[in-house]
């Protein structure tokens, strides 16, 4: 009987209870020297296994979710019968969490685990996790969806590290009302501002895709991925207001008076730095429009920017 005929779907979580190694193939041969570093499985490691292969004496588990031909295999018991891996409950799903403090990322779901070098999650950051594991102390651990490692729900002092993030997909357009500008933040935290070069000027129109709460205020996520903007300061000063947007599928506008300069937003203070413009008499497809101070602005369908209508 060939190996393929003995494969079973495992679909289960397991935890290493003793140091062991992973292998390229389900055999008892030790990994090659050049594979030694990536082959080490330390005590406390937790993983999701998709495939199982049983022989009369041994059982192997494979980590790959698509094909056992590209995964890594581990033994569940040693050759003497001592357990190497034990089943654990891994709750797979899509978990959105918000970091309440700046936190490290752990290689394994235990506070004694090594931390990933130069990898931290900023305070206020919203991150995606692909599964959740609860250890014997009752601490919940989240495995980052990008595979970088684990983040605990609470630290060793039982202080909360992250919380459920209520992230709402709500596209919209907004106008900056604060003067002279408002800051853009890395995350949904007032303590994580970006540099002054990213600030949005008074009157600037910006597009956002999501909303979330943090530090007691509402935040919107910029559509260009550059960061987050709060609705108000901690003193209560409003920083932006929603702007009604009208979709205009299939509509074209014509430049009738001179060349038509293109702007990065629907504001005359935000002309494109390359001074690109549409020639007089040319037409352009637009996908939406909005009113700002009595002027209709059109967003070009090719993503180049905004064009004012006179």
């Amino acid at each position: 009987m060939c190996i393929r005929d003995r494969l079973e779907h495992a679909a289960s979580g397991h935890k290493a209870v003793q140091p062991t190694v992973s292998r390229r193939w389900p055999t008892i041969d030790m990994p090659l020297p050049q594979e030694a570093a990536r082959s080490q499985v330390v005590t406390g490691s937790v993983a999701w296994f998709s495939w199982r292969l049983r022989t009369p004496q041994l059982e192997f588990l494979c980590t790959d979710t698509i094909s056992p031909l590209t995964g890594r295999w581990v033994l569940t018991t040693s050759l003497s019968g001592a357990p190497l891996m034990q089943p654990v409950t891994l709750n797979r799903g899509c978990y959105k969490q918000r970091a309440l403090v700046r936190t490290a990322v752990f290689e394994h779901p235990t506070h004694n685990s090594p931390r990933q070098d130069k990898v931290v999650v900023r305070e206020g950051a919203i991150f995606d996790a692909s599964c959740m594991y609860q250890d014997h102390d009752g601490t919940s651990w989240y495995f980052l969806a990008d595979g970088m490692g684990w983040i605990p729900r609470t630290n060793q002092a039982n202080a909360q590290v992250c919380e459920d993030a209520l992230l709402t997909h709500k596209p919209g357009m907004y106008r900056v009302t604060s003067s002279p500008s408002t800051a853009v933040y890395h995350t949904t935290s007032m303590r994580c501002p970006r540099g002054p070069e990213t600030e949005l000027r008074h009157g600037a129109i910006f597009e956002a895709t999501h909303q979330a709460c943090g530090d007691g205020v509402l935040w919107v996520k910029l559509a260009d991925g550059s960061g987050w903007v709060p609705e108000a300061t901690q003193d209560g000063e409003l920083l932006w207001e929603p702007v009604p947007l009208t979709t205009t599928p299939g509509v074209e506008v014509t430049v009738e008076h001179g060349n038509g300069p293109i702007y990065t937003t629907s504001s005359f203070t935000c002309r494109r730095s390359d001074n690109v413009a549409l020639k007089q008499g040319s037409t352009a497809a637009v996908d939406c429009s909005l009113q700002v101070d009595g002027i209709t602005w059109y967003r070009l369908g090719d993503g180049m920017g905004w064009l004012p209508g006179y």
Side-chain angles (χ1 to χ4, degrees), residues 70-177:
T70 57
R72 301 291 298 183
W73 294 85
V74 295
L75 277 168
T76 58
T77 60
S78 68
L79 298 180
S80 62
L84 299 176
M85 308 291 293
Q86 71 177 19
V88 294
T89 300
L90 279 182
N91 298 307
R92 305 190 80 192
C94 181
Y95 299 89
K96 285 193 177 293
Q97 296 290 305
R98 177 178 182 266
L100 299 176
V101 294
R102 178 184 170 94
T103 182
V105 177
F106 295 79
E107 292 184 10
H108 312 293
T110 170
H111 288 293
N112 297 326
S113 164
R115 305 183 182 193
Q116 297 285 15
D117 290 340
K118 301 180 181 179
V119 179
V120 296
V121 175
R122 296 174 182 268
E123 176 185 344
I126 294 176
F127 60 89
D128 291 320
S130 59
C131 68
M132 188 269 287
Y133 164 68
Q134 192 171 66
D135 65 18
H136 64 281
D137 293 327
T139 301
S140 295
W141 290 81
Y142 295 94
F143 187 67
L144 296 179
D146 61 9
M148 292 300 295
W150 297 83
I151 291 179
R153 182 83 168 187
T154 56
N155 61 21
Q156 287 178 296
N158 207 34
Q160 193 165 351
V161 173
C162 60
E163 64 180 2
D164 295 338
L166 301 178
L167 187 65
T168 305
H169 179 64
K170 194 171 183 180
M173 302 296 296
Y174 304 87
R175 176 169 52 187
V176 176
T177 57

Side-chain angles (χ1 to χ4, degrees), residues 58-73:
L58 301 171
E59 179 185 58
F60 294 86
L61 296 170
C62 183
T63 58
D64 194 81
T65 60
I66 301 175
S67 168
L69 300 179
T70 57
R72 301 291 298 183
W73 294 85

Side-chain angles (χ1 to χ4, degrees), residues 15-295:
K15 176 181 179 180
V17 294
Q18 291 190 46
T20 183
V21 294
S22 64
R23 297 167 169 85
R24 180 69 181 81
W25 301 103
T27 69
I28 61 174
D29 297 332
M30 293 301 293
L32 297 174
Q34 58 267 32
E35 287 190 316
R38 65 172 299 200
S39 299
Q40 300 303 311
V41 178
V42 302
T43 302
S45 299
V46 174
W48 180 263
F49 294 91
S50 299
W51 302 91
R52 177 184 291 109
L53 187 146
R54 290 188 175 98
T55 70
Q57 296 82 26
L58 301 171
E59 179 185 58
F60 294 86
L61 296 170
C62 183
T63 58
D64 194 81
T65 60
I66 301 175
S67 168
L69 300 179
T70 57
R72 301 291 298 183
W73 294 85
V74 295
L75 277 168
T76 58
T77 60
S78 68
L79 298 180
S80 62
L84 299 176
M85 308 291 293
Q86 71 177 19
V88 294
T89 300
L90 279 182
N91 298 307
R92 305 190 80 192
C94 181
Y95 299 89
K96 285 193 177 293
Q97 296 290 305
R98 177 178 182 266
L100 299 176
V101 294
R102 178 184 170 94
T103 182
V105 177
F106 295 79
E107 292 184 10
H108 312 293
T110 170
H111 288 293
N112 297 326
S113 164
R115 305 183 182 193
Q116 297 285 15
D117 290 340
K118 301 180 181 179
V119 179
V120 296
V121 175
R122 296 174 182 268
E123 176 185 344
I126 294 176
F127 60 89
D128 291 320
S130 59
C131 68
M132 188 269 287
Y133 164 68
Q134 192 171 66
D135 65 18
H136 64 281
D137 293 327
T139 301
S140 295
W141 290 81
Y142 295 94
F143 187 67
L144 296 179
D146 61 9
M148 292 300 295
W150 297 83
I151 291 179
R153 182 83 168 187
T154 56
N155 61 21
Q156 287 178 296
N158 207 34
Q160 193 165 351
V161 173
C162 60
E163 64 180 2
D164 295 338
L166 301 178
L167 187 65
T168 305
H169 179 64
K170 194 171 183 180
M173 302 296 296
Y174 304 87
R175 176 169 52 187
V176 176
T177 57
S178 63
S179 183
S181 62
T182 186
V184 176
Y185 295 77
H186 286 286
T187 66
T188 55
S189 171
M190 296 290 186
R191 285 173 288 281
C192 297
R194 298 196 61 188
E197 71 280 358
T198 65
E199 292 183 352
L200 299 174
R201 300 178 185 176
H202 174 75
I205 305 293
F206 62 91
E207 184 176 4
T209 57
H210 292 81
Q211 294 183 354
C213 290
D215 286 350
V217 299
L218 177 68
W219 294 73
V220 292
K221 184 178 182 180
L222 297 179
D224 63 6
S226 60
W228 294 79
V229 181
E231 182 184 28
T233 65
Q234 291 178 317
D235 295 329
E237 177 193 358
L238 292 178
L239 301 176
W240 48 256
E241 62 182 5
V243 177
L245 188 68
T246 302
T247 57
T248 55
V251 173
E252 291 187 342
V253 295
T254 302
V255 179
E256 298 180 348
H257 308 288
N259 292 337
I262 298 177
Y263 298 80
T264 56
T265 71
S266 49
S267 171
F268 288 110
T269 62
C270 298
R271 185 169 179 176
R272 285 183 51 139
S273 59
D274 54 10
N275 293 321
V276 67
L278 297 179
K279 294 182 179 180
Q280 182 177 355
S282 61
T283 61
V286 297
D287 58 14
C288 65
S289 65
L290 54 82
Q291 292 281 331
V292 179
D293 297 331
I295 296 176

